[in-house]
Amino acid sequence: MAASSASKLFRAGRSLLGGLKDPNGSIGLSKDLPRSYLFSQQQRTFIQMRTNLKVVDNSGAKRVMCIQALKGKRGARLGDTIVASVKEAQPGGKVKKGQVVYGVVVRAAMQRGRSDGSEIKFDDNAVVLVNKQGEPIGTRVFGPVPHELRKKKHVKILSLAQHIA
Amino acid sequence: MRLEKCWFCSSTIYPGHGIQFVRNDAKIFRFCRSKCHKNFKMKRNPRKVKWTKAYRRLHGKDMTQDSTFEFERKRNRPERYDRNLAENTLKAIKKIDKVRVDREARHHAMRMKGKKAMERKEAAKELEQSIHMVKAPAALQQEASLTLPKIKVKVSQEQSQENRMEE
């Protein structure tokens, strides 16, 4: 995963450099700037259409692709609900591949501001599948979850969580 | 409200500053500013980065063991608010800080002990050896004030008497 992310970054960096009109500048930049500079350039954004998310409950789905972010013009963030399509599922689960489901974003790589002024961010984008009423379909939740969910009234997910960040 | 420590540089993070990064194994990394955060993303080891407290403690530049550090240990039990206790704690914090700063200054002085003498010795040696870089040797011989004072060695008179005896 690290290798793929590194190559993705390198490609992103390359495209950034390719956008520069000045040929000398682009060559100079690729030589002068170390690889680490490209790492810090990665800009994390919202969860929007076509975003792949990991499913962290035992509802049966493995990967899910966002179709629509309910609320939010630019996309969903930590704690928001999304409409998603199941792309990959375990054979004997409650959801099947190709099904349209709702989900709550429990981990987002984009930082979210807290009311005390600090910011929190996670390692990946993860979602917990939910029904129309907001109750989780699965019975377990894996990994850490933020306590932003309490304000959004997803208390059931918090109670199932192992660790609250 | 709790004052945290930056994972990278070990400075205190005041409320409203910094970024928290939560890894999937639920380990939380707190950073005081983007400098520390970017160094972390570059996978740098704080024990090898010169300006961090981790490096300084490891290499003996700063104090490692002291009784004043015991007061700053993390306590997880919330204390019931008591005005007297709060007042005494504030006074104690001031005093403890003063003591700690004094001890750190002493540690630094011990570390730098002998630096002046060593510098002077090195300067004298350099003057002796490399004075030819500054002034030509011929010029040194002409002007007596430029050379170091010559040490006069007493030669005993008996030797000349011995020579006369041989003759």
Side-chain angles (χ1 to χ4, degrees):
Chain A
M1 191 175 99
S4 65
S5 68
S7 60
K8 230 190 293 176
L9 282 168
F10 198 55
R11 260 181 273 139
R14 272 277 168 80
S15 61
L16 276 170
L17 295 170
L20 292 166
K21 289 294 180 185
D22 182 17
N24 287 336
S26 62
I27 296 166
L29 272 174
S30 60
K31 272 197 193 142
D32 292 334
L33 295 175
R35 185 76 77 88
S36 56
Y37 185 64
L38 295 169
F39 271 113
S40 57
Q41 286 291 320
Q42 190 172 32
Q43 187 70 293
R44 306 287 192 171
T45 47
F46 302 84
I47 291 169
Q48 43 193 324
M49 204 190 295
R50 303 287 284 177
T51 305
N52 279 319
L53 297 117
K54 199 162 83 162
V55 177
V56 287
D57 57 5
N58 58 352
S59 57
K62 287 288 211 39
R63 288 213 83 84
V64 118
M65 185 187 284
C66 175
I67 300 175
Q68 186 72 265
L70 311 164
K71 281 216 169 201
K73 199 160 57 168
R74 282 164 290 184
R77 300 162 92 182
L78 197 57
D80 292 342
T81 336
I82 60 166
V83 182
S85 150
V86 178
K87 289 294 174 189
E88 205 183 302
Q90 263 169 347
K94 290 175 205 160
V95 290
K96 299 271 173 282
K97 185 175 150 185
Q99 206 175 325
V100 172
V101 285
Y102 285 83
V104 169
V105 179
V106 295
R107 291 205 283 275
M110 176 164 132
Q111 62 263 30
R112 183 157 189 142
R114 290 238 160 120
S115 56
D116 66 348
S118 64
E119 292 188 330
I120 186 166
K121 65 195 249 188
F122 290 84
D123 208 0
D124 60 351
N125 299 318
V127 82
V128 165
L129 300 188
V130 163
N131 63 12
K132 257 291 194 41
Q133 278 71 42
E135 288 148 31
I137 298 174
T139 52
R140 285 177 70 191
V141 164
F142 304 110
V145 295
H147 53 242
E148 264 84 357
L149 298 177
R150 195 180 292 273
K151 192 148 181 249
K152 308 266 181 178
K153 309 280 185 246
H154 294 121
V155 189
K156 195 92 197 320
I157 301 175
L158 277 175
S159 67
L160 293 169
Q162 297 173 333
H163 188 267
I164 305 183
Chain B
M1 184 193 78
R2 178 164 251 184
L3 296 179
E4 307 282 354
K5 291 275 177 196
C6 175
W7 185 85
F8 199 81
C9 65
S10 317
S11 61
T12 38
I13 306 178
Y14 284 89
H17 290 260
I19 290 190
Q20 277 184 38
F21 170 62
V22 184
R23 211 162 54 178
N24 282 347
D25 60 357
K27 186 152 161 63
I28 304 180
F29 297 90
R30 292 173 212 269
F31 304 105
C32 59
R33 55 199 196 279
S34 64
K35 177 180 181 180
C36 304
H37 188 36
K38 282 179 180 159
N39 272 297
F40 173 78
K41 283 199 274 190
M42 280 196 260
K43 299 194 175 182
R44 286 201 179 148
N45 187 356
R47 285 157 170 265
K48 290 195 174 184
V49 179
K50 297 254 166 85
W51 51 271
T52 55
K53 256 311 202 209
Y55 175 94
R56 305 212 71 198
R57 291 216 179 104
L58 188 69
H59 288 75
K61 314 277 185 189
D62 277 348
M63 277 199 308
T64 31
Q65 281 178 344
D66 197 39
S67 51
T68 43
F69 295 147
E70 301 290 312
F71 294 104
E72 275 180 59
R73 281 257 197 87
K74 185 173 180 184
R75 277 152 252 258
N76 282 323
R77 294 170 83 214
E79 296 276 336
R80 181 159 293 176
Y81 178 72
D82 180 20
R83 196 196 165 109
N84 288 328
L85 179 68
E87 206 179 309
N88 290 338
T89 312
L90 283 169
K91 283 190 202 156
I93 287 175
K94 274 210 171 135
K95 195 143 195 217
I96 293 166
D97 270 352
K98 202 163 79 72
V99 167
R100 196 189 66 234
V101 161
D102 284 340
R103 287 189 189 174
E104 275 175 1
R106 207 181 330 141
H107 181 270
H108 181 79
M110 286 291 276
R111 197 155 64 87
M112 296 294 166
K113 207 160 64 160
K115 189 177 176 202
K116 276 234 172 95
M118 198 182 295
E119 275 182 354
R120 203 178 297 170
K121 224 179 8 170
E122 280 180 15
K125 195 169 173 191
E126 195 184 341
L127 189 64
E128 197 190 309
Q129 287 180 348
S130 327
I131 194 71
H132 63 273
M133 303 264 256
V134 176
K135 273 273 184 183
L140 282 173
Q141 280 174 5
Q142 284 169 20
E143 257 201 75
S145 63
L146 289 170
T147 52
L148 290 170
K150 288 227 160 60
I151 305 165
K152 294 216 165 166
V153 180
K154 273 215 164 178
V155 181
S156 56
Q157 292 281 335
E158 290 164 11
Q159 270 195 351
S160 51
Q161 282 179 2
E162 279 173 17
N163 285 342
R164 268 193 232 142
M165 292 276 278
E166 281 175 19
E167 278 183 76

